[in-house]
Amino acid sequence: MNIQLGFEIAYKFPRPTPMILNLNIHYSRASDLLRPDHLLTHPAVSTTAYRDLFGNWCTRLVAPAGRFVLSTDALIRDSGLPDSIAPSASQTAVERLPESTLVYLLGSRYCETDLLSDFAWQRFGSGPSGWARVQAVCDFVHQHIEFGYQHARRTRSALEAFKEGKGVCRDYAHLAIALCRCLNIPARYCTGYLGDVGTAPPFGPMDFAGWFEAFLGDRWYTFDARNNVPRIGRVLIAQGRDASDVALSCTFGPDQLEGFKVWCDEVQ
């Protein structure tokens, strides 16, 4: 299947303002692109690209004063298969984990493992390990948090989501990540596109999505505590310790968001 995806984001700046953007599709999906996701700016400005510490493609630019629009419109080939399920995937002992995964065992800005550890072991410590343990975490988070766009708050942490019992997709991911790390399972935050392929209407407004990956056996597996079912057509943009590592845009000065539109649709 082919998926057309992209965005148009409009800002208004009172003065020229530096920006760092994390809006390009992840390098692991580069070979699937049928039409590249070139970043367009209006008005046109000079840009430079680099890879951050997590391997994500990032863009630097200076937005001019006034209205400034970022956009892209790409076409990507997708297998059309749902997220993988591997019930036999086992939990790897900490001493045998690859060094590259160890950072994803530690607490981070939005995932307070030190404050959630006691609860995690009390709730999940006596149950099964491996895939079943991560799924138990997802089941709990899915039921514990009430989803609602009106609940969105960019500063909410995993502990706050746990206490408040409400949030959006990033809050589901942060709480599940924190609980997995407490249980010695490496977990990392992912952001990207996720359309409505294979789901029943009514469809909500399209936005970028947040989910997570857990390291089991010898590889990373996708989990989604918000939807809690395998989904089709997931397209990764970036991954990191939590949302602070994969912010779609960082502005180094005042700005006003004037428009935000995302699309991710199956096409013939």
Side-chain angles (χ1 to χ4, degrees), residues 141-142 145-147 167-176 225-226:
V141 173
H142 181 75
I145 295 179
E146 174 190 336
F147 180 85
V168 291
C169 58
R170 63 175 264 161
D171 302 306
Y172 288 77
H174 282 151
L175 181 53
R226 156 70 178 100

Side-chain angles (χ1 to χ4, degrees), residues 65-82:
R67 182 176 171 84
F68 183 63
V69 180
L70 302 164
S71 66
T72 193
D73 187 45
L75 187 66
I76 194 167
R77 179 178 52 247
D78 191 82
S79 68
L81 299 175

